[in-house]
């Protein structure tokens, strides 16, 4: 399925906000839906939300909150510290709207900086695209400002 001609196409190093950017492995369509950024192509669909840390909570406190609210069915939990960013991710098979459909693989990633955080959900049909989801998550960088969203 080719990219949708009615939506903007983004690729490469892509600024998400003045504080965050991602490196996209291929061209993606882009839209905003219910306040979330949605990027998609024929392989994966990525939903992202970015929050400022207005309450001044520590990275560890915000990570603990994510852990407390994640599904008990979460598995394949991953954690990493890359520079000043704390990465946390897990897998979860999502139920589809149609009860006859199989569960769809999902990869949930969080990236925490002192002043903000990114939450992303990546959905895909082919298990081989787990590597794409992981790479997108780990490509998130905290720019500290200066980049503007296109």
């Amino acid at each position: 399925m080719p990219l949708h001609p009615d939506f903007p196409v983004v690729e490469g190093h892509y600024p998400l906000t003045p504080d965050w950017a991602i490196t996209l492995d291929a061209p993606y369509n882009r839209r905003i839906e219910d306040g979330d950024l949605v990027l998609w192509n024929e392989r994966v669909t990525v939903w992202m939300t970015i929050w400022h840390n207005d309450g001044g909570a520590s990275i560890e406190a915000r990570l603990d909150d994510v852990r407390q609210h994640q599904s008990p069915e979460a598995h394949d939990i991953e954690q990493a510290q890359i520079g000043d960013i704390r990465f946390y991710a897990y897998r979860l098979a999502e139920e589809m709207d149609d009860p006859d459909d199989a569960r769809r693989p999902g990869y949930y990633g969080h990236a925490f900086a002192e002043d903000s955080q990114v939450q992303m959900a990546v959905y895909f049909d082919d298990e081989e695209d787990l590597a794409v989801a992981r790479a997108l998550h780990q490509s998130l960088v905290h720019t500290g400002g200066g980049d503007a969203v296109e």
Side-chain angles (χ1 to χ4, degrees):
M1 174 171 52
L3 294 175
H4 197 294
D6 295 336
F7 290 90
V9 175
V10 295
E11 59 187 310
H13 175 82
Y14 179 65
L16 300 169
T17 69
D19 294 325
W20 289 94
I22 192 169
T23 299
L24 302 172
D25 63 307
Y28 285 78
N29 280 123
R30 175 185 65 92
R31 73 176 186 268
I32 302 295
E33 189 169 318
D34 297 328
D36 294 330
L37 174 63
V38 183
L39 303 173
W40 78 98
N41 62 24
E42 63 278 356
R43 294 184 335 260
V44 300
T45 300
V46 184
W47 288 75
M48 283 188 277
T49 304
I50 301 172
W51 290 284
H52 284 283
N53 183 20
D54 295 333
S58 70
I59 289 173
E60 197 60 41
R62 289 180 283 143
L63 177 55
D64 286 345
D65 186 60
V66 167
R67 287 182 184 129
Q68 289 175 17
H69 290 95
Q70 76 188 24
S71 169
E73 296 178 19
H75 58 93
D76 295 342
I77 294 171
E78 305 169 357
Q79 296 185 70
Q81 181 79 34
I82 302 173
D84 294 337
I85 302 175
R86 179 79 174 269
F87 290 91
Y88 180 79
Y90 58 89
R91 303 281 313 279
L92 185 63
E94 288 287 347
E95 289 185 27
M96 304 304 295
D97 291 335
D98 182 346
D100 294 329
D101 280 345
R103 294 169 75 91
R104 172 171 285 165
Y107 178 90
Y108 294 83
H110 300 264
F112 299 91
E114 287 298 325
D115 65 347
S116 56
Q117 67 195 60
V118 178
Q119 176 182 354
M120 68 187 323
V122 185
Y123 303 104
F124 45 93
D125 294 322
D126 188 336
E127 194 63 29
E128 290 182 13
D129 288 324
L130 171 60
V132 172
R134 220 178 245 126
L136 288 168
H137 178 230
Q138 293 176 355
S139 79
L140 288 165
V141 293
H142 186 255
T143 62
D147 288 332
V149 175
E150 295 177 1

